[in-house]
Amino acid sequence: MREIEVRLESFPTKGEFRIARGAVRAVDLVTVTIGEDGHYGRGECRPYSRYGETPELVRERILGVADQVRGGIDRIALRGLLPPGAARNAIDCALWDLEAKRSGRAAHELAGLPRPAALLTAFTLSLAAPAVMAKAAAAASDYPLLKLKLGAEGDELRLRAVRAARPDARLIVDANEGWTPDNLAEMLKACADAGVELVEQPLPAGNDEALRHMPRAVTVCADESA
């Protein structure tokens, strides 16, 4: 029979990390370890209050299906036990890791996918005063792609300050639902003027109708809306 361990872990951030909905000074995770035949698979998740999750609640959800995990449940059956979310993600990742270690094959091989290649990822700048974000952008000179957390009064100034500090950088923006239909056109223009390539989740989830017929000089993508 399998064994399962569930732990709460917390990792401090380097200073305060702020988005439109608030700030954090630590990242709280729930980790799951599943053992079988001397092999151990590990998965983790970050419970997100935006979706009504807390580390304690996610831990209880995982423990609520611990007997089924011990009994040998697979990833497909797991979908019928837990809804999409942090708890199911942590167990799913642990099961992938366990299968990979037991079989001696990489997870991408088990999934029938090509070997992952290196990809460029964005370095994220916390929402702050324009001068603070500009200083952070300048300090991140090793990163060619910057993601700006916006969604508050003064975003136009933040965009101009960051662009002035890093004229060489590629910029993308995440408003975290912080803009409104009334200021959306103005903000998208400010993004276009700053050379922003992508704006993520500008409006509150469920309020996307304003985007339907609005001309957009910058590509828009969904997060919370999806």
Side-chain angles (χ1 to χ4, degrees), residues 124-205:
T124 303
L125 302 183
S126 172
L127 176 63
V132 175
M133 293 187 71
K135 183 177 180 180
S141 59
D142 290 340
Y143 299 93
L145 176 62
L146 301 180
K147 179 176 181 178
L148 282 60
K149 289 290 188 177
L150 299 180
E153 186 71 27
D155 280 346
E156 301 96 325
L157 297 176
R158 295 182 179 93
L159 284 163
R160 289 200 291 268
V162 170
R163 175 49 79 200
R166 286 293 308 278
D168 62 305
R170 296 174 59 195
L171 301 181
I172 59 178
V173 160
D174 184 0
N176 283 113
E177 305 179 277
W179 296 342
T180 69
D182 291 334
N183 71 3
L184 179 60
E186 177 185 358
M187 291 312 310
L188 290 179
K189 182 180 184 304
C191 287
D193 291 344
V196 171
E197 299 178 19
L198 176 74
V199 174
E200 179 182 341
Q201 197 62 47
L203 300 175

Side-chain angles (χ1 to χ4, degrees), residues 31-114:
T31 61
V32 175
T33 302
I34 301 174
E36 186 174 13
D37 299 331
H39 299 280
Y40 294 88
R42 183 178 182 275
E44 67 181 25
C45 63
R46 184 191 178 195
Y48 200 22
S49 59
R50 171 67 176 71
Y51 302 113
E53 297 175 335
T54 66
E56 294 76 18
L57 178 60
V58 168
R59 180 178 183 272
E60 290 306 310
R61 287 176 177 168
I62 294 171
L63 291 175
V65 298
D67 286 344
Q68 290 93 326
V69 173
R70 293 187 188 98
I73 191 172
D74 63 16
R75 295 186 305 274
I76 303 302
L78 177 65
R79 299 176 192 171
L81 288 181
L82 291 171
R88 194 171 87 181
N89 181 75
I91 298 174
D92 183 75
C93 289
L95 289 174
W96 275 109
D97 191 32
L98 178 63
E99 184 177 347
K101 288 173 177 173
R102 292 191 68 196
S103 67
R105 300 173 62 198
H108 73 270
E109 295 176 0
L110 297 174
L113 298 173

